[in-house]
Amino acid sequence: MTVICNATPLINFAAINRLNILQAVFGTIVIPQAVYNETTGSGFLSSQFILQAIASGWLQVRPVSNIALSIPPELDHGEREAIALALETGELNILLDEREARQVAKNLGLQVIGTLGILLLAKNRKIIPQVQPLLDAMIDIAQYWVNATLYKQVLQQTGELVE
């Protein structure tokens, strides 16, 4: 399976040195140039993990030749290129976290999975034993923001929340 990925899911997993989860769940991940620039430049501390994944071949960088007019300019550069790349390559699965970008992608017929969805898939496929330690690490290290209700829902889904 091949998926297109925006910066946030990549940053969340790289920040806790668990890009291997993305590889185990999806196989091949493709990022546009803007996402490469965002995740390997600008002093992101875990960029070496992203560069290692590219060197090993399962994370690939592809240029985008055209950004459709249906992709609003209000989205950030990486989001716009990721959605454009999904449309261009016909890869319908896209990894996106930001609400506006997710909505645009869904409206264009793409299947959207976010960081929480990736963690749930990984647990369901027995790639990871628990979601909570990884999610907590992302919140602490990557400053990944999850509202309290959603946090509880995810842990209830995985049977990790004891009330």
Side-chain angles (χ1 to χ4, degrees), residues 3-12 14 19 22 29-42 44 47 50-51 54 59-64 67 76-86 94-98 101:
V3 296
I4 307 297
C5 188
N6 184 37
T8 308
L10 206 55
I11 288 168
N12 286 336
L19 284 174
L22 291 178
I29 295 182
V30 179
I31 58 172
Q33 189 66 45
V35 169
Y36 173 83
N37 296 346
E38 197 178 324
T39 56
T40 59
S42 67
F44 173 52
S47 62
I50 292 167
L51 294 170
I54 291 167
L59 181 62
Q60 301 168 4
V61 185
R62 289 208 198 132
V64 175
I67 296 183
D76 87 21
H77 203 52
E79 293 162 359
R80 295 183 76 223
E81 280 199 11
I83 294 168
L85 191 59
I94 187 166
L95 309 181
L96 277 171
D97 277 315
E98 294 74 16

Side-chain angles (χ1 to χ4, degrees), residues 13-108:
F13 285 91
I16 62 166
N17 193 11
R18 291 304 305 268
L19 284 174
N20 63 309
I21 294 170
L22 291 178
Q23 183 186 17
V25 173
F26 301 109
T28 303
I29 295 182
V30 179
I31 58 172
Q33 189 66 45
V35 169
Y36 173 83
N37 296 346
E38 197 178 324
T39 56
T40 59
S42 67
F44 173 52
L45 294 174
S46 302
S47 62
Q48 80 253 27
F49 302 131
I50 292 167
L51 294 170
Q52 286 163 7
I54 291 167
S56 66
W58 65 266
L59 181 62
Q60 301 168 4
V61 185
R62 289 208 198 132
V64 175
S65 55
N66 178 38
I67 296 183
L69 294 171
S70 53
I71 304 170
E74 302 82 61
L75 298 183
D76 87 21
H77 203 52
E79 293 162 359
R80 295 183 76 223
E81 280 199 11
I83 294 168
L85 191 59
L87 296 173
E88 209 171 277
T89 59
E91 297 294 351
L92 296 181
N93 294 300
I94 187 166
L95 309 181
L96 277 171
D97 277 315
E98 294 74 16
R99 185 180 298 141
E100 296 82 5
R102 289 171 68 96
Q103 196 53 59
V104 169
K106 284 178 188 168
N107 292 346
L108 292 169

Side-chain angles (χ1 to χ4, degrees), residues 132 151-163:
Q132 188 169 11
Y151 180 88
K152 279 177 73 168
Q153 280 174 347
V154 168
L155 297 184
Q156 277 167 337
Q157 260 183 286
T158 61
E160 294 174 45
L161 187 70
V162 183
E163 297 214 31

